[in-house]
């Protein structure tokens, strides 16, 4: 069973039900009604926008499943706590939280700290990336090498500025089990949709153990943020070859099919036995 803004037919789903957007006050009641009607064993959020809401609603949704189950067993919700989920859902808060514990990240600042794109470039000493603090995938991400590359009047406190790391980009797929064990599988983005930034148009899984520095950084990131379950993130090498964490998504990512161990972990941890 699935939920979405529009209840279209989808391959692999018996049914897709409509719910309001995650930012709508009707989202919580609609999700509770769906869970009560469907009585699922497991609830797996997959959309970045809904993660903070789901984390807050986790107990409510889990109990709602008991209304439709003879055995009154609550549903398991695959999510971290409210605080980790909220931090990971905001790219600026993610940068601040990781930098505070020594996890390497690009130089970063709220976009409204700069009066112009030229000021941001001068501050970073080179190209910068401007991105929405709360977004999905590569939407709204802009590489700014020259002031004319972006209309600064459209940039404000809802955006974050990061120094641009120009090396290879990786998308480690990481799973933190309920027992605290963390495993990471490294994917290399071979083609980006926006050329030098953005979502991956293509990616490969590198042999396990071949990029231990990327896998280890992904594990440290998940532990630093307190995330659990499947985690998708972007890590990129800077000009000196040092890996930096660009952003973190506390959910299955668009490339997670290349690391089926994540779904296996969810099923092992959360399905009734």
């Amino acid at each position: 069973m699935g939920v979405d803004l529009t209840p279209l037919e989808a391959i692999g789903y018996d049914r897709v039900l409509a719910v309001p957007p995650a930012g709508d006050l009707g989202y919580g009641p609609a999700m509770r009604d769906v869970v009560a009607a469907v009585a699922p064993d497991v609830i797996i959020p997959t959309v970045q926008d809904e993660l903070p809401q789901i984390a807050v609603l986790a107990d409510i949704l889990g109990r709602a499943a008991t209304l439709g189950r003879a055995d009154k067993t609550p549903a398991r919700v695959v999510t971290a706590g409210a605080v980790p989920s909220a931090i990971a859902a905001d790219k600026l808060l993610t940068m601040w939280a990781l930098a505070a514990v020594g996890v390497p990240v690009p130089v970063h600042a709220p976009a409204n700290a700069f009066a112009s794109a030229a000021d941001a470039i001068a501050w970073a000493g080179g190209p910068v990336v401007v991105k929405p603090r709360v977004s999905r995938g590569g939407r709204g991400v802009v590489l700014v090498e020259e002031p004319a590359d972006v209309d600064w009047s459209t940039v404000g406190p809802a955006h974050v500025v990061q120094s641009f790391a120009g090396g290879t980009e990786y998308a480690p797929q990481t799973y933190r089990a309920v027992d605290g064990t963390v495993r990471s599988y490294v994917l290399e983005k071979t083609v980006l949709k926006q050329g030098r930034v953005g979502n991956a148009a293509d990616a490969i899984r590198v042999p396990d153990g071949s990029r231990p520095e990327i896998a280890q950084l992904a594990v440290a990131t998940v532990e630093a943020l307190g995330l659990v379950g499947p985690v998708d993130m972007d890590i990129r090498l800077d000009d000196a070859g040092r890996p930096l964490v660009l952003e973190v998504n506390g959910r299955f990512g668009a490339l997670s099919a290349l690391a089926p161990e994540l779904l296996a972990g969810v099923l092992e941890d959360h399905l009734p036995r």
Side-chain angles (χ1 to χ4, degrees), residues 77-109:
V77 184
V78 184
T79 182
V83 172
S85 295
I87 290 174
D90 185 315
K91 293 176 174 58
L92 177 61
L93 299 186
T94 300
M95 293 293 97
W96 282 347
L98 293 178
V101 294
V103 174
V105 295
V107 176
H108 55 275

Side-chain angles (χ1 to χ4, degrees), residues 41-203:
D41 293 317
V42 185
I43 300 169
I44 305 173
T46 61
V47 179
Q48 187 73 2
D49 313 35
E50 70 182 340
L51 295 179
Q53 275 269 53
I54 286 285
V56 171
L57 294 169
D59 287 343
I60 293 172
L61 296 180
R63 294 174 191 275
T66 66
L67 300 176
R69 294 175 66 94
D71 62 7
K72 301 304 179 184
T73 303
R76 301 291 296 271
V77 184
V78 184
T79 182
V83 172
S85 295
I87 290 174
D90 185 315
K91 293 176 174 58
L92 177 61
L93 299 186
T94 300
M95 293 293 97
W96 282 347
L98 293 178
V101 294
V103 174
V105 295
V107 176
H108 55 275
N112 60 320
F114 309 103
S116 67
D119 288 345
I121 293 170
W123 161 80
V128 297
V129 173
V130 179
K131 61 177 72 172
R133 289 173 53 181
V134 179
S135 69
R136 272 185 266 162
R139 294 174 177 85
V141 177
V142 179
L143 172 60
V144 182
E145 298 179 275
E146 302 290 342
D149 291 339
V150 64
D151 178 359
W152 203 255
S153 68
T154 65
V155 177
H159 295 81
V160 60
V161 173
Q162 296 174 328
S163 58
F164 175 62
T168 303
E169 186 165 333
Y170 298 90
Q173 306 296 295
T174 305
Y175 186 76
R176 189 178 190 189
V178 294
D179 64 4
T181 303
V182 188
R183 300 182 294 275
S184 189
Y185 311 95
V186 179
L187 310 181
E188 179 181 332
K189 296 183 179 183
T190 53
V191 181
L192 300 177
K193 290 183 178 179
Q194 294 169 241
R196 299 174 68 192
V197 294
N199 286 348
D202 200 2

